[in-house]
């Protein structure tokens, strides 16, 4: 087990937004967390990666309390791509990626041959070689996204944690990023923990998923078992028709907005049951 959260709670001021959850990340897997806006996904990622202090419970990295591991040691093992990133005004792409190498160096800022080779590799993997001297502020949203992913790649860690890695990307680049993530996982055995909004992509690219609702984990398991029509209705309030994606041999669904009367009648049935 690479990361384990035990009885984890997280609060902002006094408001508890994650309630006593247990979660783990196995070595070598692609794990996704899904759930509606505001259910606590980013908060969980932040507390798993030490960006946020939990209000209760523990986070362990390879069995050690993560809060006891030095920042430099963690940065060698774990790369994070947060959901909201501040773009340093005057950085060009290569400078950003170079930051990914800092945890491995002596902080003098000098690059060795291996650093240079890895930076080149990260640029190539993300299709950013031609943009390497371009300022981040002069890139499109998608190009910028790929530059940040390149930085995470350059860190050469055992695990990469990505919060909505496909935001801002057109469909072709979304697939490119997810295929890249999958390839890294398969060929370099990099463990992946990510938050995805596109549930079909979560089904297709994850080995395992956690489903969150209002700060709780309500389901965990193989995506095809966990993301059923019934659950999509319960968590996302959508009706879904499932088909088989024969090319990838995985389920794929089309979502429909749940009819308001369906929702209302379900709610009133529940209410009636509760009164009885
Ligand atoms: N810095 C903060 N201060 C106070 N409340 C916050 C803060 N960040 C998030 N929250 C609240 O905590 C809850 C969980 O937020 P979080 O960002 O983890 O959700 P999320 O599942 O990642 O949502 P999204 O899908 O929109 O990214 C939300 O109700 C949000 O309003
Ligand atoms: Mg989020």
């Amino acid at each position: 087990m690479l990361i384990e959260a035990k009885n984890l709670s997280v609060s902002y001021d006094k408001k508890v937004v994650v309630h006593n959850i247990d979660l783990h990340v196995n070595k070598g897997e692609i794990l996704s967390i899904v759930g509606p806006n505001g259910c606590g996904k980013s908060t969980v990622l932040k507390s798993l990666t030490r960006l946020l202090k939990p209000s209760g419970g523990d986070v362990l990295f390879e069995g050690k309390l993560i809060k006891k591991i030095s920042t430099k040691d963690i940065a060698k093992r774990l790369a994070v791509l947060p959901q909201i990133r501040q773009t340093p005004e005057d950085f060009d792409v290569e400078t950003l990626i170079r930051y990914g190498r800092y945890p491995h160096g002596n902080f003098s800022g000098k690059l060795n041959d291996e650093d240079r080779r890895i930076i080149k590799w990260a640029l190539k993997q993300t299709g950013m070689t031609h943009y390497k001297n371009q300022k981040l502020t002069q890139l499109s949203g998608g190009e910028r996204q790929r530059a940040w992913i390149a930085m995470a790649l350059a860190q050469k860690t055992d695990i990469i944690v990505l919060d909505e890695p496909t935001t801002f990307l057109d469909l072709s680049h979304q697939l490119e990023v997810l295929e890249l993530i999958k390839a890294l996982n398969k060929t370099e055995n990099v463990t992946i923990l990510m938050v995805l909004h596109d549930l079909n992509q979560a089904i297709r690219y994850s080995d395992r998923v956690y489903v969150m609702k209002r700060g709780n984990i309500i389901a965990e398991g193989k995506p095809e078992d966990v993301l059923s029509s019934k659950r999509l209705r319960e968590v996302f309030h959508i009706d879904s028709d499932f088909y088989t994606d024969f090319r990838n041999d995985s389920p794929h669904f089309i979502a429909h907005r749940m009819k308001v009367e369906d929702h209302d009648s379900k709610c009133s049935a529940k209410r009636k049951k509760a009164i009885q």
Side-chain angles (χ1 to χ4, degrees), residues 4-17:
E4 187 178 16
K6 289 189 199 165
N7 214 13
L8 179 76
S9 297
V10 193
S11 320
Y12 292 110
D13 300 319
K14 293 240 157 64
K15 189 178 151 213
V16 184
V17 297

Side-chain angles (χ1 to χ4, degrees), residues 12 15 17 35-44 83 163-164 197:
Y12 292 110
K15 189 178 151 213
V17 297
N37 288 133
C39 71
K41 304 177 299 295
S42 297
T43 304
V44 168
Q83 185 174 10
D163 198 343
E164 297 187 31
H197 267 300

